[in-house]
Amino acid sequence: MPGVVLSTLNAKYIHPAFGLRYLLANMGELRACTRILEFEIQRRPVDIVGDLLEADPGIVGFGVYIWNAAQTLEVVAALKRLRPDITVVLGGPEVSHEIEDQPLVALADHIVTGEADLTFPALCARLLAGDRPETKVIHSPVPDPAGIRLPYDLYDEDDVAHRVIYVEASRGCPFTCEFCLSALEVPVRQFPLEPFLAAMERLLERGVTQFKFVDRTFNLNLKTGRAILEFFLERMRPGLFVHFEMIPDRLPQGLREIVAKFPPGTLQFEVGIQTFNPEVAALISRRQDYDRLEDNFRFLREHTGVHLHADLIVGLPGETLESFGAGFDRLVALEPQEIQVGILKRLRGTPIVRHDAEWAMVYNPAPPYEILRNRQLSFADLQRLRTFARYWDLVGNSGNFGRSVRLLWRDSGSPFSAFLAFSDWLFVRTRARHGIALARLIELLHTHLVGELGLPSNEAADALWDDCLTASRNDIPPFLREALPLRQPPPRSSNRKEGPKRQARHVG
């Protein structure tokens, strides 16, 4: 019997294909003749085709996402030219909506839309039996999580040792935010808790210490959320790190009590705020209680060791540069360890398109479909904010500049205005958004603090030196040694904070 290959192109090696493992776990009688071949988008498409042909499959199923659509098109085009007899089946969010004019869809034999855990195996069984469906597009009914076989035993030893381990206790989202594909999903569905926790136990026994929950709303169900937190707290060990996405304005006392018991740096909450402008939030159908949100942030920062990663979006309809800046300042005042500044993307199928005419929304037609301009923000404005977002990630989020970055706005009062000025200055001097060596970035920040803001050289250097120590850097840049000749370099040490490196830098 010809085999089935499940394939996708991952953004990076550390990100394993969670969806492919679900498909393999549910292949039933076909599991023995099915294998996963996953690649990275940096590989040449012709080399990927070579690996696929070497497997000699009868069916190849590709997971298509916003980050790999262009590369997958090249792979499928070459594969069909060389072996038109191979049946190509596409699935994933990028080919589940607005598929009529996609060249990739035209090349494929079948498209499976929606959650394909059970539909794809059934399709493969029909195809291998010679019973080809008449329709090209096959719509998956929403599966009951209780009927899906869990994929966690399919993480191999290499995954356990070197990759992010994705898990989920639920699917769906209760919200209808128009920029997000979750707005199209049915309400939240829970996986049966006991078998899920048993699978987590097996992963822990195999040495997994970093778990990334992809649930959109881990804290929606108090009973389930508390049970999962208690499970990990009872099994606390060095290096354990668990990531959750949380609803920002929902943190009842039952969850607060258990969250406060975790050691610093072992929990990360990704908090999607997106905008602090209530009029913008109403436009995009996002419900949010800002008073409760701020109270939850204050509790988490003052009474827990949770690492907070908060999201804001640039380019939403109705959001001006000034209102985004005010929201950014408001968020900085809440002191999350990281603020991700994302650029609005027009994902296929999302209702955000209803604002295109009124707000003059213009998007890049190529993935990742980022906003190019709108009524409030010109293309030049958005280019500035893209640069701002990149530099904020390098300086504000990295944990390398925890003390010194705050000197940028100490006297101005507005983190957004101060950092935007620094971002403009830095881009003029480097003309680069990537590839800036850390040592050079340290020196450039010192130059800006002293030359542009008028801070005493030794004060700026002292803050940067402390940041080097916090980030466990032994190689103090030479200019800092010259500026602070009386300070001694730290002794070389093999001691390392537990958990992911970036988050560990934020732990006091």
Side-chain angles (χ1 to χ4, degrees), residues 133-398:
E134 294 182 2
T135 58
K136 180 170 184 172
V137 180
I138 298 161
H139 299 287
S140 296
V142 177
D144 179 356
I148 299 174
R149 290 183 62 89
L150 299 180
Y152 303 110
D153 293 338
L154 293 174
Y155 284 118
D156 62 24
E157 296 310 308
D158 193 56
D159 297 331
V160 169
H162 302 295
R163 306 175 99 173
V164 175
I165 300 300
Y166 294 105
V167 301
E168 62 177 358
S170 65
R171 288 185 182 176
C173 183
F175 301 108
T176 56
C177 308
E178 295 177 3
F179 55 82
C180 181
L181 280 170
S182 295
L184 309 178
E185 296 182 9
V186 296
V188 175
R189 294 153 287 141
Q190 300 284 338
F191 283 87
L193 189 58
E194 286 191 14
F196 172 76
L197 292 180
M200 298 302 98
E201 185 76 72
R202 291 193 297 273
L203 287 175
L204 284 165
E205 290 171 353
R206 295 174 60 198
V208 174
T209 56
Q210 297 183 28
F211 295 78
K212 184 166 186 177
F213 280 73
V214 299
D215 307 52
R216 304 299 296 179
T217 53
F218 109 92
N219 56 328
L220 180 68
N221 185 307
L222 173 60
K223 182 180 178 181
T224 300
R226 186 178 177 94
I228 292 171
L229 288 169
E230 288 176 340
F231 171 87
F232 283 105
L233 183 61
E234 290 167 3
R235 292 156 181 81
M236 186 55 56
R237 61 195 63 183
L240 184 63
F241 179 81
V242 190
H243 167 107
F244 296 100
E245 293 188 30
M246 70 167 281
I247 304 167
D249 55 6
R250 180 174 171 79
L251 195 65
Q253 187 62 31
L255 287 183
R256 289 188 175 201
E257 291 172 357
I258 189 71
V259 166
K261 296 178 181 179
F262 277 79
T266 55
L267 288 182
Q268 173 167 290
F269 288 171
E270 182 174 345
V271 189
I273 297 171
Q274 319 312 357
T275 180
F276 272 105
N277 185 323
E279 289 79 16
V280 173
L283 272 177
I284 61 172
S285 307
R286 182 172 182 82
R287 306 186 305 275
Q288 201 151 248
D289 185 322
Y290 291 108
D291 290 336
R292 286 187 178 180
L293 180 158
E294 292 189 335
D295 182 65
N296 290 338
F297 263 73
R298 283 190 289 270
F299 169 78
L300 290 169
R301 290 298 285 130
E302 294 171 9
H303 302 289
T304 80
V306 172
H307 183 278
L308 286 173
H309 174 108
D311 299 334
L312 291 177
I313 295 179
V314 168
L316 291 169
E319 188 88 87
T320 65
L321 186 68
E322 292 74 22
S323 70
F324 177 82
F328 184 88
D329 288 348
R330 188 171 175 180
L331 183 53
V332 169
L334 296 175
E335 299 187 318
Q337 285 87 346
E338 297 187 18
I339 299 174
Q340 179 174 315
V341 178
I343 308 300
L344 177 65
K345 300 173 178 61
R346 211 282 297 173
L347 303 180
R348 293 182 183 273
T350 53
I352 196 78
V353 295
R354 74 185 183 92
H355 301 291
D356 285 0
E358 181 179 0
W359 297 99
M361 310 290 279
V362 177
Y363 299 92
N364 192 327
Y369 313 118
E370 287 186 341
I371 187 79
L372 295 176
R373 70 164 188 259
N374 61 25
R375 185 194 292 178
Q376 282 85 12
L377 299 173
S378 67
F379 177 70
D381 290 332
L382 281 159
Q383 284 295 88
R384 283 183 79 197
L385 290 171
R386 285 187 178 87
T387 304
F388 174 98
R390 173 57 183 160
Y391 290 158
W392 179 260
D393 202 44
L394 290 175
V395 177
N397 288 340
S398 66

Side-chain angles (χ1 to χ4, degrees), residues 41-74:
I41 57 175
Q42 294 79 15
R43 282 199 64 187
R44 296 196 310 162
V46 67
D47 294 333
I48 293 173
V49 172
D51 287 354
L52 293 171
L53 291 178
E54 188 175 341
D56 194 26
I59 302 171
V60 179
F62 287 98
V64 188
Y65 303 87
I66 194 171
W67 62 80
N68 70 13
Q71 296 88 340
T72 304
L73 173 60
E74 291 188 58

Side-chain angles (χ1 to χ4, degrees), residues 457-458 461-463 465 479-488:
S457 176
N458 63 335
D462 193 65
W465 188 296
F479 86 92
L480 284 183
R481 295 173 186 266
E482 295 171 4
L484 301 170
L486 299 181
R487 290 200 66 166
Q488 296 300 311

